[in-house]
Amino acid sequence: MHAIIEIGYLIATLSFLGGLKFMSSPKRAKTGNLIAALGMVLAVILTFFAGTTETVPYTNLIIMVLAITVGTLLGKRLSDKVQMTGMPQLVSLFNATGGGCAMLLGLMEANQIKTEITHFGNQVLLIAGLTTGAIALTGSIIAERKLAGTVKDKRGRAVIFSARILLALLLLLPTLYFLGFIPLDFMAFMYILAIIAMVYGVLFVLPIGGADMPVVISLLNSITGIATAFAGFVYGNKAMIAGGIFVGAAGILLTLLMCRAMNRSLLKVLAGTFKNNKTG
Amino acid sequence: MDFITHHLQEIYFVLFCVFIGIEVIANVPAILHTPLMSGANAISGVILVGAILLMLRVPQDDYLNLTLGGIAVFLGTLNISGGFFVTGRMLKMFKPKK
């Protein structure tokens, strides 16, 4: 049974890879999408059945089956109804859900684990997954709102300055925590980090121009991939690590390619500045 | 250092994945940027596997975690199903040139 599951995950990983490869050629893109989707279904079904053979309470199973059913139907419905022009928004919204999922996983793990017996490395991974997931969640929502035109660019000094402070905090606080300077238990600390990261996600995307949103969405997509990979390390699941890293690496390259197609540098996009028009 | 020697296999694995991920889409034409972004987004929904693994471990009477887990599974599924369906719709617009 164990071997079958491992082989299944291997096939799923290969299907993600094949899917990405096929999706980068116009003729075979549809096949690529189908292959990756099938691989994903395989991975999910395997995980479900491999875990369910043990004694799992019925409540959990019912909640999961419900969540999966509603999620699938809603995803299908949203993508069927969307206008052609609204597609980038929807992609951004779906990216937000992925980031949200990664953040929740971090919080749940923090609720459950006992700090004393948990490995230091695991805590680092949980923190990394939580913060990247939270940034992707709120950042993608703001990107979606901007494309919809309800949120305007804000390039004030205050926004940019506080974004930098928050980013520094996100790096500094975990360091201080592991050095023992912050007398909080791991759970409370994780909730605080989640809030800081979510605010940072908002401030990160706010100054960026609306026309640059596809680039930002691609970048956030790559961040979600990295969050997935962190979670994959926590569970020691190769399909998650590989899928996450593929998306992370491909997403960053895609971001750079999109920048080049628009003849802008990534740094300029992120700073929200234009060539002849300095705002800020 | 201990961490590195213990996880050498994983580190190799990640490094190879990074290069493969970059190489595999290196020659994508500009017209496919958006569908590829959407498809990659759907693939990052593999986080659902983690959500399911975690849900299988949550005790039956731990309502906070059951709620969070339910939401996590829902969000992960939405990412996957929405991602692949919307990519499919985008690609439908590309008619093969004859």
Side-chain angles (χ1 to χ4, degrees), chain A residues 17 23-26 29 33 40 47 51 57 59-60 64 68 71-72 75-76 79-80 82 84 87 91 94-95 97-98 101 105 108-109 111-112 221 228 233 235 237-238 240 245 247 249-250 253 258, chain B residues 13-14 17-18 20 22 24-25 29 32-33 37 40-44 46 49-51 54-58 60 64-66 69-70 72-73 75 77-82 84-85 87-91 93:
Chain A
L17 198 55
M23 261 186 258
S24 56
S25 104
N33 191 36
M40 186 65 77
T47 316
T59 332
N60 298 26
M64 277 196 287
I68 290 179
T72 312
K76 172 94 175 106
S79 49
D80 277 349
V82 66
M84 292 297 153
M87 280 187 177
V91 173
F94 289 142
N95 189 41
T97 62
C101 185
L105 287 193
M108 283 172 73
E109 282 286 350
N111 288 339
Q112 283 188 319
N221 181 16
T228 307
F233 279 117
Y235 303 108
N237 186 312
K238 286 272 199 305
M240 279 174 78
I245 298 282
V247 175
L253 179 66
M258 285 166 110
Chain B
F13 185 70
V14 167
C17 284
V18 170
I20 293 170
I22 290 175
V24 110
I25 68 148
L32 281 177
H33 281 174
M37 178 171 86
N41 172 36
I43 290 176
S44 72
V46 73
V49 169
L54 194 50
M55 264 306 261
L56 292 170
R57 287 203 266 118
V58 174
Q60 202 171 0
L64 171 67
N65 280 329
L66 277 185
V73 171
L75 290 179
T77 316
L78 189 57
N79 190 350
I80 295 175
S81 100
F84 283 120
F85 281 130
T87 313
R89 265 201 73 189
M90 280 180 202
L91 292 172
M93 291 187 282

Coordinates of all heavy atoms in Angstrom, one line a residue, chain A residues 17 23-26 29 33 40 47 51 57 59-60 64 68 71-72 75-76 79-80 82 84 87 91 94-95 97-98 101 105 108-109 111-112 221 228 233 235 237-238 240 245 247 249-250 253 258, chain B residues 13-14 17-18 20 22 24-25 29 32-33 37 40-44 46 49-51 54-58 60 64-66 69-70 72-73 75 77-82 84-85 87-91 93:
Chain A
L17 N 4.9 18.5 -14.0 CA 6.1 18.9 -14.8 C 5.7 18.8 -16.3 O 5.9 19.8 -17.0 CB 7.2 17.9 -14.5 CG 8.6 18.4 -14.9 CD1 8.9 19.7 -14.3 CD2 9.6 17.3 -14.5
M23 N 2.1 23.2 -21.4 CA 1.4 24.5 -21.4 C 2.2 25.6 -22.0 O 1.7 26.7 -22.2 CB 1.0 24.9 -19.9 CG -0.4 24.5 -19.6 SD -0.9 25.2 -18.0 CE -0.8 23.7 -17.0
S24 N 3.5 25.4 -22.2 CA 4.3 26.5 -22.7 C 4.4 26.3 -24.2 O 5.2 27.0 -24.9 CB 5.7 26.5 -22.1 OG 6.4 25.3 -22.2
S25 N 3.6 25.5 -24.9 CA 3.6 25.4 -26.3 C 2.2 25.6 -26.8 O 1.3 24.9 -26.2 CB 4.2 24.1 -26.8 OG 3.2 23.3 -27.3
P26 N 1.9 26.5 -27.7 CA 0.5 26.8 -28.0 C -0.3 25.6 -28.5 O -1.5 25.5 -28.2 CB 0.6 27.8 -29.2 CG 2.0 28.3 -29.0 CD 2.8 27.3 -28.4
A29 N -1.1 23.1 -25.3 CA -1.4 23.7 -24.0 C -2.6 23.1 -23.3 O -2.6 22.8 -22.1 CB -1.6 25.2 -24.2
N33 N -2.8 21.3 -19.6 CA -3.8 21.6 -18.5 C -4.5 20.3 -18.0 O -4.6 20.1 -16.8 CB -4.8 22.6 -19.1 CG -5.6 23.2 -18.0 OD1 -5.1 23.4 -16.9 ND2 -6.9 23.4 -18.2
M40 N -3.3 16.2 -10.3 CA -3.7 16.8 -9.1 C -4.8 15.9 -8.5 O -4.8 15.6 -7.2 CB -4.3 18.2 -9.4 CG -4.7 19.0 -8.2 SD -3.3 19.3 -7.1 CE -2.5 20.6 -8.0
T47 N -4.1 10.8 -1.2 CA -4.0 11.3 0.1 C -5.2 11.0 1.0 O -5.1 10.5 2.1 CB -3.8 12.9 0.1 OG1 -2.9 13.2 -0.9 CG2 -3.3 13.4 1.4
G51 N -5.0 8.1 4.0 CA -5.2 8.5 5.4 C -6.4 7.9 6.0 O -6.5 7.6 7.2
P57 N -12.0 10.1 12.7 CA -13.4 10.4 13.1 C -14.3 10.8 11.9 O -13.8 11.4 10.9 CB -13.3 11.6 14.1 CG -11.9 11.9 14.2 CD -11.1 10.9 13.5
T59 N -16.7 12.9 11.7 CA -16.9 14.3 11.6 C -15.9 14.9 10.6 O -16.2 15.7 9.7 CB -16.7 15.0 12.9 OG1 -17.1 14.1 13.9 CG2 -17.6 16.3 13.0
N60 N -14.6 14.6 10.8 CA -13.5 15.2 9.9 C -13.8 14.8 8.5 O -13.7 15.7 7.6 CB -12.2 14.6 10.4 CG -11.8 15.0 11.8 OD1 -12.7 15.2 12.6 ND2 -10.5 15.0 12.1
M64 N -14.5 17.3 5.4 CA -13.6 17.4 4.2 C -14.4 17.2 2.9 O -14.2 17.9 1.9 CB -12.5 16.4 4.4 CG -11.4 16.9 5.2 SD -9.9 15.9 5.0 CE -10.4 14.4 5.9
I68 N -14.7 19.8 0.0 CA -14.2 19.5 -1.4 C -15.3 19.7 -2.4 O -15.1 20.3 -3.5 CB -13.5 18.1 -1.4 CG1 -12.2 18.1 -0.6 CG2 -13.2 17.7 -2.9 CD1 -11.5 16.8 -0.5
G71 N -16.1 23.4 -2.8 CA -15.0 24.1 -3.5 C -15.0 23.8 -4.9 O -14.8 24.7 -5.8
T72 N -15.1 22.5 -5.3 CA -15.1 22.1 -6.7 C -16.2 22.8 -7.5 O -16.0 23.4 -8.6 CB -15.2 20.6 -6.9 OG1 -14.3 20.0 -6.0 CG2 -14.9 20.2 -8.3
G75 N -15.7 26.6 -7.8 CA -14.6 26.9 -8.7 C -15.1 26.8 -10.1 O -14.8 27.6 -11.0
K76 N -15.8 25.7 -10.4 CA -16.3 25.5 -11.8 C -17.3 26.6 -12.1 O -17.2 27.2 -13.2 CB -17.1 24.1 -11.8 CG -17.8 23.8 -13.1 CD -17.0 23.0 -14.0 CE -17.8 22.6 -15.3 NZ -17.4 23.4 -16.4
S79 N -15.5 30.0 -12.7 CA -14.7 30.1 -14.0 C -15.7 30.0 -15.2 O -15.3 30.4 -16.3 CB -13.7 29.0 -14.0 OG -14.2 27.8 -13.7
D80 N -16.8 29.4 -15.0 CA -17.8 29.4 -16.2 C -18.4 30.7 -16.4 O -18.7 31.1 -17.5 CB -18.9 28.3 -15.9 CG -18.4 26.9 -16.3 OD1 -17.3 26.8 -16.9 OD2 -19.1 26.0 -16.0
V82 N -17.3 33.8 -15.6 CA -16.4 35.0 -15.7 C -16.4 35.5 -17.1 O -16.4 34.7 -18.1 CB -15.0 34.7 -15.1 CG1 -14.3 33.6 -16.0 CG2 -14.2 35.9 -15.1
M84 N -14.5 37.3 -20.3 CA -13.1 37.1 -20.8 C -12.2 38.2 -20.2 O -11.0 37.9 -19.9 CB -13.1 37.3 -22.3 CG -13.8 36.2 -23.1 SD -13.0 34.7 -22.8 CE -14.4 33.5 -23.0
M87 N -10.8 37.6 -16.4 CA -10.0 36.4 -16.1 C -8.8 36.6 -15.2 O -8.6 35.9 -14.2 CB -9.6 35.6 -17.3 CG -10.8 34.8 -17.8 SD -10.3 33.8 -19.1 CE -11.9 32.9 -19.4
V91 N -8.0 34.7 -11.6 CA -6.8 34.0 -11.3 C -6.2 34.5 -10.0 O -5.7 33.7 -9.1 CB -5.7 34.1 -12.4 CG1 -4.4 33.5 -12.1 CG2 -6.3 33.5 -13.7
F94 N -8.1 33.2 -7.1 CA -7.8 31.8 -6.8 C -6.4 31.7 -6.1 O -6.2 30.8 -5.3 CB -7.8 30.9 -8.1 CG -9.2 30.7 -8.6 CD1 -9.5 30.7 -9.9 CD2 -10.3 30.5 -7.7 CE1 -10.8 30.5 -10.4 CE2 -11.6 30.3 -8.2 CZ -11.8 30.3 -9.5
N95 N -5.5 32.5 -6.5 CA -4.2 32.5 -5.9 C -4.3 32.9 -4.4 O -3.7 32.4 -3.6 CB -3.3 33.5 -6.6 CG -1.9 33.4 -6.2 OD1 -1.4 32.3 -6.0 ND2 -1.2 34.5 -6.0
T97 N -6.8 32.2 -2.5 CA -7.3 31.0 -1.8 C -6.1 30.1 -1.4 O -6.1 29.5 -0.4 CB -8.4 30.3 -2.6 OG1 -7.8 29.8 -3.8 CG2 -9.6 31.1 -2.8
G98 N -5.2 29.9 -2.4 CA -4.1 29.0 -2.1 C -3.2 29.6 -1.0 O -2.8 28.9 -0.1
C101 N -5.0 29.1 2.3 CA -4.9 27.7 2.7 C -3.5 27.5 3.4 O -3.5 26.9 4.5 CB -5.0 26.8 1.5 SG -5.1 25.0 1.9
L105 N -2.9 26.4 7.4 CA -2.2 25.3 7.8 C -1.2 25.6 8.9 O -1.0 24.9 9.8 CB -1.4 24.7 6.6 CG -2.2 23.9 5.5 CD1 -1.3 23.1 4.6 CD2 -3.2 23.0 6.2
M108 N -3.0 26.2 12.1 CA -3.5 24.9 12.7 C -2.4 24.1 13.3 O -2.5 23.6 14.4 CB -4.2 24.0 11.6 CG -5.6 24.5 11.3 SD -6.2 23.6 9.9 CE -6.5 22.0 10.6
E109 N -1.3 24.1 12.6 CA -0.1 23.3 13.2 C 0.3 24.0 14.5 O 0.6 23.3 15.5 CB 1.1 23.4 12.2 CG 1.0 22.4 11.1 CD 1.2 21.0 11.5 OE1 1.7 20.7 12.7 OE2 0.9 20.0 10.7
N111 N -1.6 25.6 16.6 CA -2.5 25.3 17.6 C -2.3 23.9 18.2 O -2.6 23.7 19.4 CB -4.0 25.3 17.0 CG -4.5 26.6 16.7 OD1 -3.9 27.6 17.2 ND2 -5.4 26.7 15.8
Q112 N -1.8 23.0 17.4 CA -1.7 21.6 17.8 C -0.4 21.2 18.5 O -0.4 20.4 19.3 CB -1.9 20.7 16.6 CG -3.4 20.7 16.2 CD -3.6 19.6 15.2 OE1 -2.8 19.5 14.2 NE2 -4.7 18.9 15.3
N221 N 1.8 34.5 -7.2 CA 1.6 33.1 -7.5 C 2.8 32.3 -7.2 O 2.7 31.3 -6.6 CB 1.3 33.1 -9.0 CG 1.0 31.7 -9.5 OD1 0.8 30.8 -8.7 ND2 1.1 31.5 -10.8
T228 N 3.7 26.6 -0.5 CA 3.3 25.2 -0.6 C 4.5 24.3 -0.4 O 4.4 23.3 0.3 CB 2.8 25.0 -2.0 OG1 1.7 25.9 -2.3 CG2 2.3 23.6 -2.2
F233 N 7.6 20.5 3.1 CA 8.7 20.0 4.0 C 8.2 19.6 5.3 O 8.6 18.6 5.9 CB 9.7 21.2 4.2 CG 10.6 21.3 3.1 CD1 10.7 22.5 2.3 CD2 11.5 20.3 2.8 CE1 11.6 22.6 1.3 CE2 12.4 20.4 1.7 CZ 12.4 21.6 1.0
Y235 N 5.3 18.3 6.1 CA 4.7 17.0 6.0 C 5.6 15.9 5.3 O 5.2 14.8 5.2 CB 3.4 17.1 5.3 CG 2.4 18.0 5.9 CD1 2.2 19.3 5.4 CD2 1.9 17.8 7.2 CE1 1.4 20.2 6.0 CE2 1.1 18.7 7.8 CZ 0.8 19.9 7.2 OH 0.0 20.8 7.8
N237 N 6.2 15.6 2.2 CA 5.5 15.1 1.0 C 6.2 15.7 -0.2 O 6.2 16.9 -0.5 CB 4.0 15.6 1.1 CG 3.2 15.0 0.0 OD1 3.6 15.1 -1.2 ND2 2.1 14.5 0.4
K238 N 6.7 14.7 -1.0 CA 7.5 15.1 -2.2 C 6.7 15.8 -3.3 O 7.2 16.7 -3.9 CB 8.2 13.9 -2.8 CG 9.4 13.4 -1.9 CD 10.7 14.1 -2.3 CE 12.0 13.3 -1.9 NZ 12.0 13.0 -0.5
M240 N 4.2 17.7 -2.9 CA 3.9 19.1 -2.5 C 5.2 19.9 -2.7 O 5.1 21.1 -3.2 CB 3.5 19.2 -1.0 CG 2.0 18.9 -0.8 SD 1.7 18.8 1.0 CE 1.6 20.6 1.3
I245 N 7.8 24.0 -5.6 CA 9.0 24.6 -6.1 C 8.9 24.9 -7.6 O 9.4 25.9 -8.1 CB 10.2 23.7 -5.8 CG1 10.4 23.6 -4.3 CG2 11.5 24.2 -6.5 CD1 11.1 24.7 -3.7
V247 N 6.2 25.7 -9.2 CA 5.5 26.9 -9.4 C 6.3 28.1 -9.0 O 6.3 29.1 -9.6 CB 4.1 26.8 -8.6 CG1 3.4 28.1 -8.7 CG2 3.3 25.7 -9.1
A249 N 9.6 28.5 -9.0 CA 10.7 28.8 -9.9 C 10.1 29.3 -11.2 O 10.5 30.4 -11.8 CB 11.5 27.6 -10.2
A250 N 9.1 28.6 -11.7 CA 8.5 29.0 -13.0 C 7.8 30.3 -12.9 O 7.8 31.2 -13.8 CB 7.5 27.9 -13.5
L253 N 10.4 33.1 -13.0 CA 10.9 33.3 -14.4 C 9.8 34.0 -15.3 O 10.0 34.9 -16.0 CB 11.2 32.0 -15.0 CG 11.7 32.1 -16.5 CD1 13.0 32.8 -16.6 CD2 11.8 30.7 -17.1
M258 N 7.4 38.5 -18.2 CA 6.3 39.4 -18.4 C 6.9 40.9 -18.3 O 6.5 41.7 -19.1 CB 5.2 39.2 -17.4 CG 4.4 38.0 -17.7 SD 3.4 37.6 -16.2 CE 1.8 38.0 -16.8
Chain B
F13 N 17.1 17.8 -3.9 CA 15.8 17.7 -4.6 C 15.3 19.1 -5.0 O 14.9 19.3 -6.1 CB 14.8 17.0 -3.6 CG 13.5 16.7 -4.2 CD1 13.3 15.8 -5.2 CD2 12.4 17.4 -3.7 CE1 12.1 15.5 -5.7 CE2 11.1 17.1 -4.2 CZ 11.0 16.2 -5.2
V14 N 15.4 20.0 -4.0 CA 14.9 21.4 -4.2 C 15.7 22.1 -5.3 O 15.1 22.7 -6.2 CB 14.9 22.2 -2.9 CG1 14.7 23.7 -3.2 CG2 13.9 21.7 -1.9
C17 N 14.7 20.8 -8.6 CA 13.3 21.3 -8.9 C 13.3 22.7 -9.4 O 12.6 23.1 -10.3 CB 12.4 21.2 -7.7 SG 11.8 19.5 -7.4
V18 N 14.2 23.6 -8.8 CA 14.3 24.9 -9.2 C 14.7 25.0 -10.6 O 14.0 25.7 -11.5 CB 15.3 25.7 -8.3 CG1 15.5 27.1 -8.9 CG2 14.7 25.9 -6.9
I20 N 14.7 22.7 -13.0 CA 13.7 22.1 -13.9 C 12.5 23.0 -14.1 O 12.1 23.3 -15.2 CB 13.2 20.7 -13.4 CG1 14.3 19.7 -13.3 CG2 12.1 20.2 -14.2 CD1 14.0 18.4 -12.6
I22 N 12.5 26.2 -14.0 CA 12.8 27.3 -14.8 C 13.0 26.9 -16.3 O 12.4 27.5 -17.2 CB 14.1 28.0 -14.4 CG1 13.9 28.7 -13.0 CG2 14.7 28.9 -15.4 CD1 15.1 29.3 -12.4
V24 N 11.7 24.3 -17.9 CA 10.6 23.8 -18.5 C 9.7 24.8 -19.2 O 9.1 24.6 -20.2 CB 9.8 22.9 -17.5 CG1 8.5 23.6 -17.1 CG2 9.6 21.5 -18.0
I25 N 9.7 26.1 -18.6 CA 8.9 27.1 -19.3 C 9.8 28.2 -20.0 O 9.3 29.2 -20.3 CB 8.0 27.8 -18.3 CG1 8.8 28.6 -17.3 CG2 7.1 26.8 -17.6 CD1 8.0 29.8 -16.8
P29 N 6.0 31.4 -25.4 CA 5.7 32.6 -26.1 C 4.8 33.5 -25.3 O 4.0 33.1 -24.4 CB 4.9 32.1 -27.3 CG 4.4 30.8 -26.9 CD 5.3 30.2 -25.9
L32 N 1.1 33.0 -24.3 CA 0.7 32.0 -23.3 C 1.0 32.4 -21.9 O 0.8 31.6 -21.0 CB 1.4 30.6 -23.7 CG 0.7 29.8 -24.8 CD1 1.5 28.6 -25.1 CD2 -0.7 29.5 -24.4
H33 N 1.5 33.6 -21.7 CA 1.9 34.0 -20.3 C 0.7 33.8 -19.3 O 0.9 33.2 -18.3 CB 2.4 35.4 -20.3 CG 3.8 35.6 -20.8 ND1 4.4 36.8 -20.9 CD2 4.7 34.6 -21.1 CE1 5.6 36.6 -21.4 NE2 5.9 35.3 -21.5
M37 N 0.4 31.2 -16.3 CA 0.3 31.7 -14.9 C -0.9 31.1 -14.2 O -0.8 30.6 -13.0 CB 0.1 33.2 -14.9 CG 0.0 33.9 -13.6 SD 0.0 35.7 -13.8 CE -1.6 36.0 -14.2
A40 N -0.1 27.4 -13.5 CA 0.9 27.2 -12.4 C 0.1 27.5 -11.0 O 0.4 26.8 -10.0 CB 2.0 28.2 -12.5
N41 N -0.7 28.5 -11.0 CA -1.5 28.8 -9.9 C -2.3 27.6 -9.4 O -2.4 27.2 -8.3 CB -2.4 30.0 -10.2 CG -3.4 30.3 -9.1 OD1 -3.1 30.1 -7.9 ND2 -4.6 30.7 -9.5
A42 N -2.9 26.9 -10.4 CA -3.7 25.7 -10.1 C -2.8 24.6 -9.5 O -3.2 24.0 -8.5 CB -4.4 25.2 -11.3
I43 N -1.6 24.5 -10.0 CA -0.7 23.5 -9.5 C -0.3 23.8 -8.1 O -0.2 22.9 -7.2 CB 0.5 23.3 -10.4 CG1 0.1 22.7 -11.7 CG2 1.6 22.5 -9.7 CD1 1.2 22.6 -12.7
S44 N -0.2 25.1 -7.7 CA 0.2 25.4 -6.3 C -0.9 25.0 -5.4 O -0.7 25.0 -4.2 CB 0.6 26.9 -6.2 OG -0.5 27.7 -6.3
V46 N -1.8 22.2 -4.8 CA -1.4 20.9 -4.3 C -1.2 21.1 -2.7 O -1.2 20.1 -2.0 CB -0.1 20.4 -4.9 CG1 1.1 21.2 -4.5 CG2 0.1 18.9 -4.7
V49 N -3.3 18.8 -0.4 CA -2.8 17.6 0.1 C -2.4 17.7 1.6 O -2.7 16.9 2.4 CB -1.6 17.0 -0.7 CG1 -0.9 15.9 0.0 CG2 -2.0 16.6 -2.1
G50 N -1.7 18.9 1.9 CA -1.3 19.1 3.2 C -2.5 19.4 4.1 O -2.5 18.9 5.3
A51 N -3.5 20.1 3.6 CA -4.7 20.4 4.4 C -5.4 19.1 4.7 O -5.8 18.9 5.9 CB -5.6 21.3 3.6
L54 N -3.5 17.1 7.4 CA -3.6 17.7 8.7 C -5.0 17.4 9.3 O -5.2 17.1 10.4 CB -3.4 19.2 8.6 CG -3.2 20.0 9.9 CD1 -2.2 19.3 10.7 CD2 -2.8 21.4 9.6
M55 N -6.0 17.5 8.4 CA -7.4 17.3 8.8 C -7.6 15.9 9.4 O -8.4 15.6 10.3 CB -8.4 17.5 7.7 CG -9.0 18.9 7.6 SD -9.8 19.3 9.1 CE -11.5 19.0 8.7
L56 N -6.9 14.9 8.8 CA -7.0 13.5 9.2 C -6.5 13.3 10.6 O -6.8 12.3 11.3 CB -6.2 12.6 8.2 CG -6.8 12.5 6.8 CD1 -5.9 11.8 5.9 CD2 -8.2 11.8 6.8
R57 N -5.7 14.3 11.1 CA -5.1 14.1 12.4 C -5.8 14.9 13.5 O -5.6 14.7 14.7 CB -3.6 14.7 12.4 CG -2.6 13.9 11.7 CD -1.2 14.2 12.2 NE -0.6 15.2 11.4 CZ -0.2 16.3 11.8 NH1 -0.4 16.7 13.1 NH2 0.4 17.2 11.0
V58 N -6.7 15.8 13.1 CA -7.4 16.7 14.1 C -8.3 15.9 15.0 O -9.1 15.1 14.4 CB -8.1 17.8 13.4 CG1 -8.9 18.7 14.4 CG2 -7.2 18.7 12.6
Q60 N -11.6 14.9 17.1 CA -13.0 15.1 16.8 C -13.6 16.3 17.5 O -14.5 16.9 17.1 CB -13.8 13.9 17.1 CG -15.1 13.8 16.3 CD -15.7 12.4 16.5 OE1 -15.1 11.5 17.2 NE2 -16.8 12.2 15.9
L64 N -12.1 24.4 17.0 CA -11.3 25.5 16.4 C -10.6 25.0 15.1 O -10.7 25.5 14.0 CB -10.3 26.1 17.3 CG -9.3 27.1 16.7 CD1 -10.1 28.3 16.2 CD2 -8.3 27.5 17.7
N65 N -9.8 23.9 15.4 CA -9.0 23.3 14.3 C -9.9 22.7 13.2 O -9.5 22.7 12.0 CB -8.0 22.4 14.8 CG -6.8 23.1 15.4 OD1 -6.4 24.2 14.9 ND2 -6.2 22.5 16.4
L66 N -11.0 22.1 13.6 CA -11.9 21.5 12.6 C -12.4 22.6 11.7 O -12.5 22.4 10.5 CB -13.1 20.8 13.3 CG -12.8 19.4 13.7 CD1 -14.1 18.8 14.3 CD2 -12.2 18.5 12.6
G69 N -9.5 23.9 9.5 CA -9.2 22.9 8.6 C -10.2 22.8 7.5 O -9.9 22.6 6.3
G70 N -11.5 22.9 7.9 CA -12.5 22.9 6.8 C -12.4 24.0 5.9 O -12.5 23.8 4.6
A72 N -9.6 25.6 5.2 CA -8.4 25.3 4.5 C -8.6 24.4 3.3 O -8.2 24.6 2.2 CB -7.3 24.8 5.4
V73 N -9.4 23.3 3.6 CA -9.6 22.3 2.5 C -10.5 23.0 1.5 O -10.2 22.8 0.3 CB -10.4 21.1 3.1 CG1 -10.9 20.2 2.0 CG2 -9.4 20.3 4.0
L75 N -10.6 26.2 0.7 CA -9.8 27.1 -0.1 C -8.9 26.4 -1.1 O -8.8 26.8 -2.2 CB -9.0 28.0 0.8 CG -9.8 29.0 1.7 CD1 -8.9 29.8 2.6 CD2 -10.6 30.0 0.8
T77 N -9.3 23.4 -2.4 CA -10.1 22.9 -3.5 C -10.5 23.9 -4.5 O -10.4 23.7 -5.7 CB -11.3 22.2 -3.0 OG1 -11.0 21.5 -1.8 CG2 -11.9 21.3 -4.0
L78 N -10.9 25.1 -4.0 CA -11.3 26.2 -4.8 C -10.1 26.6 -5.7 O -10.3 26.8 -6.9 CB -11.7 27.4 -4.0 CG -12.4 28.5 -4.7 CD1 -13.6 28.1 -5.5 CD2 -12.8 29.6 -3.7
N79 N -8.9 26.6 -5.2 CA -7.7 27.0 -5.9 C -7.5 26.0 -7.1 O -7.3 26.4 -8.2 CB -6.5 27.0 -5.0 CG -5.3 27.6 -5.7 OD1 -5.3 27.8 -6.8 ND2 -4.2 27.8 -4.9
I80 N -7.6 24.7 -6.8 CA -7.4 23.7 -7.8 C -8.5 23.7 -8.9 O -8.2 23.9 -10.0 CB -7.3 22.3 -7.1 CG1 -6.1 22.2 -6.2 CG2 -7.2 21.2 -8.2 CD1 -6.0 20.9 -5.5
S81 N -9.7 23.6 -8.4 CA -10.8 23.4 -9.4 C -10.9 24.7 -10.2 O -10.9 24.7 -11.5 CB -12.1 23.0 -8.7 OG -12.9 24.1 -8.6
G82 N -10.9 25.8 -9.5 CA -11.0 27.1 -10.3 C -9.9 27.3 -11.2 O -10.0 27.7 -12.3
F84 N -7.8 25.2 -12.7 CA -7.8 24.4 -13.9 C -8.9 24.7 -14.8 O -8.7 24.7 -16.1 CB -7.8 22.9 -13.6 CG -6.4 22.4 -13.1 CD1 -6.3 21.8 -11.8 CD2 -5.3 22.5 -13.9 CE1 -5.0 21.4 -11.4 CE2 -4.1 22.1 -13.5 CZ -3.9 21.5 -12.2
F85 N -10.1 25.0 -14.3 CA -11.2 25.3 -15.2 C -11.0 26.6 -15.9 O -11.3 26.7 -17.1 CB -12.5 25.3 -14.3 CG -13.1 24.0 -14.0 CD1 -13.5 23.6 -12.7 CD2 -13.3 23.0 -15.1 CE1 -14.0 22.4 -12.5 CE2 -13.8 21.8 -14.8 CZ -14.1 21.5 -13.5
T87 N -8.1 28.0 -16.6 CA -7.1 27.8 -17.6 C -7.7 27.2 -18.8 O -7.4 27.6 -19.9 CB -6.0 26.9 -17.0 OG1 -5.6 27.4 -15.7 CG2 -4.7 27.0 -17.9
G88 N -8.5 26.2 -18.6 CA -9.2 25.5 -19.7 C -10.0 26.5 -20.6 O -9.9 26.4 -21.8
R89 N -10.7 27.4 -19.9 CA -11.5 28.4 -20.6 C -10.6 29.3 -21.4 O -10.9 29.7 -22.6 CB -12.4 29.2 -19.7 CG -13.7 28.6 -19.6 CD -14.7 29.6 -19.0 NE -15.1 30.6 -20.0 CZ -15.8 31.7 -19.7 NH1 -16.2 31.9 -18.5 NH2 -16.1 32.5 -20.6
M90 N -9.5 29.8 -20.8 CA -8.6 30.6 -21.5 C -8.0 30.0 -22.8 O -8.0 30.5 -23.9 CB -7.4 31.0 -20.7 CG -7.6 32.0 -19.7 SD -6.0 32.3 -18.8 CE -6.6 33.0 -17.3
L91 N -7.7 28.7 -22.6 CA -7.0 28.0 -23.7 C -8.0 27.7 -24.8 O -7.7 27.5 -26.0 CB -6.4 26.7 -23.3 CG -5.2 26.9 -22.4 CD1 -4.7 25.6 -21.8 CD2 -4.1 27.6 -23.1
M93 N -9.9 29.7 -26.1 CA -9.9 30.9 -27.0 C -8.8 30.8 -28.0 O -8.9 31.5 -29.1 CB -9.7 32.2 -26.2 CG -10.9 32.5 -25.3 SD -10.7 34.1 -24.6 CE -9.6 33.8 -23.3

